[in-house]
Amino acid sequence: MAKKEKPPHIEAVMTARGLRAHTADDAEKMAVVPQGKVFELVPVSQRSSKQLRTYWKALGLVVKVTGKWPSPETLHRDIKMTLGYREQTINLRTGEITLVPDSIALDRMSHDEFCGFMNQAMELLADAVGFDPLAFLQEAA
């Protein structure tokens, strides 16, 4: 059985008028959700929303410019696997061991750990695609 794709991650902020999209990207994702859709909300502590947005913008840029990955999420998965952020799973029928990407979720990684991960990820991307995505973002801004 194929692995089921996770729905897109959407961040929202509680305001006096209710929930609103955290970023423009979140607003785009929310715009295609049908009315009446139920969400499971989990409050998160802020790691660094600016840093996280920059990370995802950089991934989006690399996907758009290179065309080597179908989405930023796929590139994110590949970065985690390449940098060793993975865990083993065992097929209970065959005993086969498979590596899958580990989580870098807020509850799994501190701010300092994420800073290290992001630095490694940006270095990896610069080597892999031939340009520094963060420098490119700064030039564009």
Side-chain angles (χ1 to χ4, degrees):
M1 181 180 293
K3 182 178 177 183
K4 184 178 177 183
E5 285 288 321
K6 288 185 177 182
H9 179 81
I10 301 172
E11 289 189 4
V13 177
M14 182 58 76
T15 69
R17 294 180 144 188
L19 290 173
R20 70 169 175 80
H22 188 234
T23 67
D25 182 55
D26 293 320
E28 288 178 21
K29 291 175 186 172
M30 288 175 77
V32 297
V33 175
Q35 288 188 4
K37 180 74 173 173
V38 175
F39 286 83
E40 181 178 293
L41 301 173
V42 179
V44 295
S45 62
Q46 295 263 334
R47 181 165 30 210
S48 168
S49 57
K50 183 178 179 188
Q51 182 184 35
L52 205 51
R53 281 193 307 273
T54 300
Y55 174 79
W56 285 105
K57 270 187 170 177
L59 268 55
L61 171 73
V62 169
V63 166
K64 183 177 180 180
V65 169
T66 67
K68 291 183 177 182
W69 293 270
S71 70
E73 291 79 12
T74 304
L75 174 54
H76 175 61
R77 178 204 63 208
D78 292 351
I79 289 169
K80 290 189 295 183
M81 292 296 289
T82 302
L83 293 177
Y85 290 84
R86 53 190 179 222
E87 59 186 354
Q88 291 183 347
T89 63
I90 300 173
N91 182 314
L92 296 175
R93 290 197 173 104
T94 66
E96 177 185 14
I97 296 174
T98 306
L99 295 176
V100 296
D102 203 354
S103 173
I104 63 163
L106 291 170
D107 62 345
R108 302 278 304 265
M109 185 179 276
S110 71
H111 174 72
D112 290 340
E113 290 170 325
F114 182 76
C115 287
F117 168 79
M118 184 168 169
N119 289 338
Q120 289 179 315
M122 293 303 115
E123 286 177 25
L124 174 66
L125 283 177
D127 288 343
V129 300
F131 67 92
D132 179 353
L134 293 181
F136 195 87
L137 284 175
Q138 288 174 351
E139 288 174 17

